């Protein structure tokens, strides 16, 4: 890290009222200030695209020293990628893009004074605020499941230490064991991901623990990409993966940590390793700041991504009610760019563009078998609607699927370079 980067990436302690903490553009302040909360996919993209306009002062607040991508973390669980290869620092955003990165967590937002409070007591004034805090878990909906239980029955739905716990459990599981995945009800982060996880863990089991089984205890009766997954499971892993929908077992209502059991409305399932993915809501800072509605998610204007509940605060990524857009990294990235241009237009008078909203995902069924989708969206009637959709089909040749898997790796490099600079 250069001296310059060190100056740009700082940890704020307590008691400091940041210079120019007045709510609106202060005398002597040359450029409007945009503060971005959350250095994950949505926040890092928004900060980068705002800073690249060269007309705004951009500050990014993120408590973690680096970001581990959830996408491709299922490949890590299968032993096909290292966690280091999924980890990105914020140095390039500071050094190449001139963003001030503060390593701290936002604790409160005063929407009237336009000030963000940080852990330790510092305060930061803004002209516009962008929140991309990702998800929080509704722990209260699964009896016995909390942060401590997640150390034993990991969710691994934020990549990093949780992914590590789950990987180690899978490695030490005896052949013949049962791996249970409790999949949540909609809406949740990345709808195909629990089933991609089942596929890639099955790939790992097929190599190293062929007598083992995977049980998917689902809170739903259907799931994203179902035909493609079920086709792949019968081709690659016959008899290894069993999907139990809510109509047969009911929703997951509790866990018993000591026996590694998942309790649904009708049965108790004992597992050797249990991956409990709880129901979700917007990241806690959004809730605390009064930016969520009764659904637990944040309503936004679909053109500018400004909150419909608080002025001058924009939200992007998994935390929002995104209409037809899935909660995905690609969606977060696309929303963040639209949001950045809308903020620039309102603060600096730069041209307004209609938002270009897009999602494209690659989903692995095996290391050389992946499917894809590509969807365009547009704002319509206060929400975001699908305009055009392409999705892979059952019956595509092995060559087509191999090419998709190969393209996915290229996509990962290009996409993370776009987000983290
Ligand atoms: C297993 C799995 C596989 C996936 N695969 C794909 C895929 O193939 N393709 C795809 O497009 N998507 C995929 N996703 C989804 C994707 O990872 C998320 O949709 C994406 O990360 C959402 O971005 P975000 O910015 O909303 O949240 P995040 O990326 O989670 O970022 C939120 C950030 O906010 C920070 N934060 C929270 N609270 C505060 C606070 N108070 N102050 C400061 N910072 C705060 C957090 O530390 C975090 O860094 C996958 C997800 C999972 C779980």
């Amino acid at each position: 890290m250069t001296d310059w980067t060190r100056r740009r990436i700082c940890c704020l302690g307590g008691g400091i009222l940041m210079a120019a903490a007045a709510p609106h553009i202060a005398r002597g302040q040359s450029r409007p200030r945009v503060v971005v909360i959350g250095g994950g996919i949505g926040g890092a993209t928004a900060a980068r695209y705002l800073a690249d306009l060269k007309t705004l002062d951009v500050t990014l607040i993120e408590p973690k020293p680096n970001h581990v991508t959830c996408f491709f973390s299922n490949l890590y669980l299968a032993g096909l990628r290292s966690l280091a290869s999924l980890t990105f620092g914020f140095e390039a955003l500071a050094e190449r893009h001139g963003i001030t990165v503060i390593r701290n967590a936002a604790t409160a937002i005063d929407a009237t004074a336009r000030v963000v409070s940080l852990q330790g007591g510092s305060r930061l004034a803004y002209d516009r605020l962008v929140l991309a805090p990702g998800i929080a878990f509704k722990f209260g909906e699964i009896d016995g499941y909390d942060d401590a239980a997640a150390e034993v029955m990991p969710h691994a739905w934020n990549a990093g230490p949780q992914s590590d716990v789950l990987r180690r459990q899978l490695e030490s599981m005896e052949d013949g064991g049962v791996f249970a995945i409790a999949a949540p009800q909609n809406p949740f982060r990345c709808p195909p991901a629990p089933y991609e996880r089942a596929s890639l863990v099955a790939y790992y089991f097929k190599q190293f623990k062929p007598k083992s089984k995977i049980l998917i205890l689902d809170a739903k009766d259907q799931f994203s990409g179902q035909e493609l997954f079920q086709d792949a499971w019968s081709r690659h892993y016959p008899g290894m993966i069993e999907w139990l929908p809510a109509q047969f077992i009911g929703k997951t209502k509790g866990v018993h940590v000591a026996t590694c059991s998942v309790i649904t409305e009708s049965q108790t399932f004992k597992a050797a390793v249990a991956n409990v993915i709880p129901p979700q809501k917007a990241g806690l800072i959004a809730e605390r700041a009064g930016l969520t509605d009764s659904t637990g998610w944040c309503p936004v204007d679909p053109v500018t991504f400004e909150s419909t509940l608080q002025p001058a605060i924009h939200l992007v990524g998994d935390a929002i009610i995104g209409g037809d857009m899935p909660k995905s990294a690609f969606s977060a990235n696309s929303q963040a760019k639209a949001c950045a241009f809308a903020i620039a237009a309102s603060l600096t008078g730069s041209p307004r563009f209609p938002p270009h909203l897009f999602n494209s995902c690659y989903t692995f069924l095996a290391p050389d078998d992946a499917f894809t989708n590509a969807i365009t969206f547009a704002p319509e009637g206060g929400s975001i609607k699908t305009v055009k959709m392409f999705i892979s089909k059952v019956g595509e040749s092995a060559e087509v699927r191999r090419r998709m898997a190969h393209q996915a790796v290229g996509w990962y490099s290009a996409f993370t370079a776009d987000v983290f600079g």
Side-chain angles (χ1 to χ4, degrees):
M1 195 188 282
T2 63
D3 278 356
W4 192 82
T5 312
R6 214 169 278 123
R7 279 204 305 279
R8 282 265 176 208
I9 300 189
C10 47
C11 309
L12 283 181
I16 306 161
L17 182 66
M18 291 290 287
H24 300 292
I25 302 175
R27 220 176 322 157
Q29 179 198 326
S30 53
R31 305 196 296 183
R33 297 152 303 182
V34 184
V35 172
V36 180
I37 298 177
I41 303 307
T45 308
R48 184 209 163 147
Y49 277 79
L50 284 161
D52 284 358
L53 294 166
K54 310 283 184 213
T55 50
L56 302 165
D57 264 352
V58 181
T59 302
L60 177 64
I61 303 168
E62 167 60 51
K64 296 185 199 141
N66 47 46
H67 184 82
V68 185
T69 66
C70 287
F71 43 101
F72 276 40
S73 66
N74 287 330
L75 290 166
Y76 166 70
L77 295 179
L80 297 164
R81 282 289 282 232
S82 69
L83 217 48
S85 76
L86 309 181
T87 302
F88 297 84
F90 302 107
E91 290 78 12
L93 290 179
E95 201 159 336
R96 287 192 212 136
H97 300 277
I99 297 164
T100 301
V101 181
I102 296 179
R103 193 170 156 204
N104 203 329
T107 52
I109 296 163
D110 182 336
T112 311
R114 298 198 181 174
V115 170
V116 178
S117 298
L118 307 185
Q119 211 155 45
S122 316
R123 285 151 46 85
L124 204 55
Y126 64 84
D127 298 302
R128 288 287 164 133
L129 181 65
V130 180
L131 257 85
I135 53 163
F137 299 110
K138 292 179 170 175
F139 281 135
E141 293 196 8
I142 300 184
D143 250 17
Y145 197 75
D146 55 16
D147 279 324
E151 291 304 310
V152 186
M153 304 169 85
H155 50 75
W157 221 240
N158 280 321
Q162 273 280 301
S163 321
D164 218 26
V165 174
L166 185 52
R167 171 69 187 155
R168 277 187 275 109
Q169 290 184 350
L170 291 168
E171 278 178 313
S172 55
M173 191 185 101
E174 282 185 14
D175 190 11
V178 170
F179 172 47
I181 301 175
Q185 58 264 45
N186 295 320
F188 68 101
R189 163 171 283 180
C190 199
Y195 316 95
E196 179 190 62
R197 180 167 288 177
S199 310
L200 290 175
V201 171
Y203 173 79
Y204 167 69
F205 284 167
K206 197 171 157 184
Q207 320 295 307
F208 300 104
K209 304 172 198 246
K211 290 185 270 176
S212 305
K213 294 256 177 290
I214 299 174
L215 271 188
I216 305 173
L217 310 173
D218 214 325
K220 307 176 286 302
D221 286 328
Q222 49 194 12
F223 61 88
S224 175
Q226 186 164 342
E227 268 200 323
L228 288 153
F229 280 111
Q230 288 179 325
D231 164 67
W233 295 344
S234 62
R235 285 188 289 115
H236 294 301
Y237 320 112
M240 196 178 254
I241 300 175
E242 191 177 354
W243 174 64
L244 296 171
Q247 61 179 310
F248 298 141
I249 57 165
K251 284 192 288 204
T252 295
K253 63 171 192 168
V255 294
H256 189 243
V257 174
T259 57
C260 194
S261 301
V262 178
I263 304 154
T264 72
E265 283 164 339
S266 72
Q267 284 176 66
T268 295
F269 296 87
K270 189 167 159 19
V273 176
N275 170 210
V276 177
I277 307 166
Q280 294 157 31
K281 59 182 181 177
L284 293 180
I285 183 71
E287 190 175 79
R288 255 185 243 144
L291 296 162
T292 54
D293 69 11
S294 59
T295 63
W297 304 100
C298 305
V300 293
D301 177 294
V303 176
T304 61
F305 292 88
E306 187 169 1
S307 167
T308 57
L309 303 176
Q310 301 278 7
I313 302 180
H314 298 244
L315 296 119
V316 294
D318 287 356
I320 71 163
I321 299 172
D324 289 350
M325 290 188 93
K327 296 190 186 300
S328 75
F330 209 116
S331 295
N333 174 268
S334 167
Q335 293 159 3
K337 290 172 185 169
C339 171
F341 294 129
I343 289 175
S346 83
L347 288 180
T348 67
S350 63
R352 285 182 192 275
F353 301 107
H356 179 71
L357 300 172
F358 194 60
N359 180 62
S360 173
C361 277
Y362 292 94
T363 303
F364 283 90
L365 301 159
D368 58 357
D369 185 350
F371 70 86
T372 187
N373 68 32
I375 314 173
T376 55
F377 304 90
E380 191 190 307
S383 184
I384 300 175
K385 301 277 185 224
T386 301
V387 176
K388 265 195 189 150
M389 167 153 42
F390 165 83
I391 182 157
S392 301
K393 294 188 178 50
V394 169
E396 285 168 338
S397 70
E399 182 46 35
V400 166
R401 293 299 184 76
R402 229 188 321 276
R403 222 180 307 132
M404 289 301 151
H406 186 71
Q407 279 176 16
V409 176
W411 167 81
Y412 184 90
S413 304
F415 184 77
T416 51
D418 183 47
V419 175
F420 295 105

